[in-house]
Amino acid sequence: MTDTTDDIAEEISFQSFEDDCKLLGNLLHDVLQREVGSQFMAKIERIRLLAQSASNMRLSGIEDMAELLEKQLASEISEMTLEEALKLARAFSHYLTLMGVAETYHRVRMGRSATHLSKSCDDMFSQLIQGGVTPNELYHTVCKQEVEIVLTAHPTQINRRTLQYKHIRIAHLLEYNDRSDLAHEDREMLIEDLVREITSIWQTDELRRHKPTPVDEARAGLNIVEQSLWKAVPHYLRRVSNALKKHTGKPLPLTCTPIKFGSWMGGDRDGNPNVTAKVTRDVSLLSRWMAIDLYIREIDSLRFELSMNQCNDRLSRLAQEILEKETLSENLHDNRNQPLSRSLFKHHGLQAPPLPTQLPDRADLPACTVYNDGGGSQYPKLELPGTDYMPLARENGWGKSNSENSSKGLSLNIPKASENGSSANSNGSTTVVTPRGSFSSSHLLAQRKLFAESTIGRSSFHKLLEPSSSLRPGIAPYRIILGDVKEKLMKTRRRLEILLEDLPCEYDPWDYYETKDQLLEPLLICYESLQSCGAGILADGRLADLIRRVSTFGMVLMKLDLRQESGRHAETLDAITRYLDMGTYSEWDEEKKVEFLTKELKGKRPLVPSTIEVAPDIKEVLNTFSVAAELGSDSLGAYVISMASNASDVLAVELLQKDARLAVSGELGRPCPGGTLRVVPLFETVKDLREAGSVIRKLLSIDWYREHIIKNHNGHQEVMVGYSDSGKDAGRFTAAWELYKAQGDVVAACNEFGIKVTLFHGRGGSIGRGGGPTYLAIQSQPPGSVMGTLRSTEQGEMVQAKFGLPQTAIRQLEIYTTAVLLATLRPPQPPREQKWCNLMEEISKISCQKYRSTVYENPEFLAYFHEATPQAELGFLNIGSRPTRRKATTGIGHLRAIPWVFAWTQTRFVLPAWLGVGAGLKGVCEKGHTEDLKAMYKEWPFFQSTVDLIEMVLGKADIPIAKHYDEVLVSESRQELGAELRRELMLTGKYVLVVSEHEKLSENNRSLRRLIESRLSYLNPMNMLQVEVLRRLRRDEDNNKLRDALLITINGIAAGMRNTG
């Protein structure tokens, strides 16, 4: 029932999964008996049994009886009071969510118990070696692989973060329940824990009452790193390394990172006015603060582990230098501040305090168990992840989310976020950022004095706990090195706190870490020393894991991409050229724009005068480029241009970036930190996809640009392709074909100029927005488009589904690695003959015509869409910081792709994923090409995956439910349009089965079909209840309780469908 991890759906064995569902269902039933009473529980059970009976009848082909039962079900729901409807919605919504938790954990269980896990590194390396790939070729390809997973804040995550943590807790309890050695008393306590969690969930408001700010969204992304990826990455890299050693004789190099992470949370300003330059700066610093804080925790654990004295000469000399430096520093301190110095201990004959006696959390555990939440066994601790740290958002702390209190995260007490959503929280940044706050000199001195006084107590207390190394001559040399590392990390963290307070920062660059190489240096010295002294077993434990974390996450955890729409850059250049009396930039033709931009890029002077006065929206664009210059490529990733269509769109960003770097460099009196950002055009409409290759050729034919790519980006051009808007523009089938062709054309264009290319895939969670199983998606790319490099977005609810638990995250990381490896060494087959491409063109043409004639050209469709779906009400969910429309219009053109898909998913019609496909396949089959299509399905991976994904969607669609929405909510004059669309859905199913030669939908994925069927007795009543609530709400729009009931049904249906938009 899920688009998230169907990669291993075939591995599901249902007995234990059904046992978990039964356990959770019974416990929820017991909780509800206590919470809502037995009388109402009898009504809930009657609704469930009616739905179950109707579903069974329909699955058995007894349509008439099924229809009678469904009418009875709808009638009883329509007679419910508002209070009863609200309780029913909540009960069924929570049950569907608990089934999802059980399914997620069961995938973990099956992955752990499988003797042979398909698509794992061991499995894929073995296949490639047996297929003729040499061990050396395999080794070097894996080591050179560059995959980046980019987490985005797209508003598709329904569940509040509070509830997400409770669901994780339940998954851990289910895992604990699998233990065979549990005593009867232990199992009873476990059941009590489950009851407590379910009771807590029931008594928690499941709705967000306020929209999240961009900083809230960024914090949620950082929580995913802390709760899961931080633990998963070392374990994943061990799997890669062990498999490499097994099949090639050589382990993965310690600092090699086949996968890294990026983020759009706090950087994606496309159509989101809430993401400002200040938000981007604060989020970047916040990410750095979190990185430093996590490293400090790891260093604490490592210091206790590395207690040995034997070391090599290099480490011994370094330890001695640190002791001498500390002795000198303390002598100076004694002279300047005798009352606070350690000489007090000597004067009074006191002994200096020993090393801290309390071990840090998990310091006593072997490193290999950390990914599993600690514990000496494979079973997780029965604690919510992160409860050993202070909560991220606190009533009187910094950065409290308007919508959510996190149960985990940073423990720093910094003032609250500002009203515009930027957090005053600290993050681990090491770049040099010039504070822009406007303070008087006296105010600055006062602030500095207050901050200094606030740290005296903390610093003195820390000194009491950890006296100088010079007074402990017997201390292990590794602890001296790591103590120095910790001290420097703490200074780095304090510096970031100052920057986030907009206070002047006077730290000496030698006192803090600015790059990951600086942090890696002492760690690698320790590693080499242990190896040379025969303690390799220790070196390859917690220390190796920390080195791998530093190599993967760097100093920022996830580099932040910036994204802005191309029109905003054109408006900014309009303001500049008009100010300089050069005319209006946007009125020039493409050639004149390119000539002007290239000339300015070759120059050495700034284009934008410092005295320029512009409108606030233009100033915000310029401020963003200034922040990008201040932070640089050490903190930021790519600058993505949405709606890119011309070479000038890329050159415009290059010019604005160059100009900002010149200005900021002048202010700083030194070069900007890091390098220039990669500028990445995003082609997303069908028209732009068709021109993508030509745009790249035009860019690379410009000498300045080509030399810039070679010099500053290692001869690498990145190009992003968008799945969401292309699908909304022309339909899923046409979008898939145009994306396939565009990627091939972009690769060919780069090859012509000897430039390497990385394709960045803007995939959504649902099939209608390019989603689907990761492995299938990568394996169906055009040959040559995945040559060891790939970037891909993971959005909204997919982030939690794929990476919310360490075990599922490890599995996903392996799947990314092996899929990219296979596509690189054994590229997918191209179409066997040109005729196949011609047939694709024909299907695409018919499909697009049918889609656009329905969605954009039928004057009744827009009204039908608003009546038949809850699209208008989705905005009340408060699941994202950005508006649902790019512009204030009512048409579908400016509606974002997410609410477009989300609305149709709610009604179980999932129209965006299949509309037009049936017409296209029918048109080609009727011309006598049925056998050709069957051959294409069997032999062409791209065509097969396209058809399989559509078949998967059709398995989720439900015609009787969609019909019920129409009958109750749609005006009589538009009823025929709904009937016509349902006929089109049936036609699509018919021809998909003809091409795939399956007897019924989802025949090749029985597990998926069974998961769908298992939810129908809860999902169908939720849809009927939503229809009834929508009917009432549209007559009483100001009824907040009705609105709450609707939003809860939306949550429940999303949980049942396992995806939203």
Side-chain angles (χ1 to χ4, degrees), residues 61-73:
I62 310 174
E63 300 289 337
D64 292 344
M65 182 59 71
E67 193 169 336
L68 281 173
L69 289 169
E70 286 165 356
K71 284 184 178 178
Q72 177 66 26
L73 179 61

Side-chain angles (χ1 to χ4, degrees), residues 262-296:
S263 173
W264 278 14
M265 302 178 190
D268 182 9
R269 59 231 323 115
D270 177 21
N272 189 350
N274 299 310
V275 180
T276 63
K278 177 170 173 49
V279 164
T280 295
R281 175 185 181 273
D282 285 351
V283 166
S284 179
L285 294 176
L286 178 61
S287 182
R288 282 182 169 270
W289 189 96
M290 173 63 90
I292 299 300
D293 192 62
L294 288 169
Y295 289 139
I296 289 172

Side-chain angles (χ1 to χ4, degrees), residues 1031-1044:
R1031 184 184 69 81
R1032 297 185 195 182
L1033 186 60
R1034 289 174 181 178
R1035 296 175 180 177
D1036 186 9
E1037 295 182 356
D1038 296 326
N1039 191 319
N1040 289 329
K1041 279 200 170 183
L1042 271 175
R1043 184 177 294 169
D1044 281 358

Side-chain angles (χ1 to χ4, degrees), residues 16 55 57 123 182 236 374-375 380 472 603 833 852 924 1002:
S16 52
S55 175
M57 292 295 174
D123 174 55
L182 277 186
Y236 148 74
R472 293 182 266 113
E833 51 187 298
R852 291 194 64 84
V924 171
S1002 302

Side-chain angles (χ1 to χ4, degrees), residues 816-985:
Y816 264 105
T817 300
T818 57
V820 170
L821 179 67
L822 187 61
T824 302
L825 293 176
R826 293 289 183 267
Q829 289 297 312
R832 189 179 70 193
E833 51 187 298
Q834 182 58 39
K835 181 181 180 182
W836 288 6
C837 293
N838 297 339
L839 288 175
M840 284 296 296
E841 287 289 351
E842 183 69 16
I843 298 170
S844 176
K845 180 181 176 182
I846 298 170
S847 176
C848 185
Q849 287 174 346
K850 178 64 177 178
Y851 179 90
R852 291 194 64 84
S853 66
T854 301
V855 173
Y856 291 99
E857 295 167 17
N858 187 328
E860 295 294 319
F861 182 82
L862 182 61
Y864 170 77
F865 171 55
H866 287 305
E867 288 180 346
T869 74
Q871 185 274 322
E873 291 81 7
L874 289 176
F876 296 115
L877 279 171
N878 294 319
I879 58 175
S881 66
R882 74 181 189 182
T884 57
R885 292 181 177 274
R886 282 193 167 92
K887 298 181 181 178
T889 61
T890 57
I892 290 177
H894 289 122
L895 178 69
R896 288 190 178 275
I898 288 174
W900 165 246
V901 175
F902 199 156
W904 289 113
T905 303
Q906 284 286 302
T907 67
R908 313 263 292 280
F909 212 10
V910 283
L911 177 143
W914 56 261
L915 181 59
V917 175
L921 294 175
K922 177 186 176 185
V924 171
C925 285
E926 287 181 345
K927 291 182 180 179
H929 297 295
T930 302
E931 294 305 314
D932 291 315
L933 294 183
K934 290 179 180 178
M936 290 163 63
Y937 179 80
K938 290 175 181 175
E939 300 178 34
W940 189 9
F942 164 72
F943 185 72
Q944 183 184 77
S945 71
T946 302
V947 172
D948 283 348
L949 289 174
I950 292 166
E951 184 176 349
M952 185 189 298
V953 168
L954 294 175
K956 288 188 172 185
D958 192 300
I959 288 177
I961 291 294
K963 181 181 178 183
H964 185 62
Y965 276 81
D966 284 5
E967 289 174 343
V968 177
L969 301 174
V970 175
S971 304
E972 189 174 345
S973 62
R974 301 186 186 95
Q975 292 275 344
E976 180 54 33
L977 175 56
E980 179 187 335
L981 289 171
R982 291 193 295 277
R983 288 192 292 271
E984 187 67 25
L985 173 58

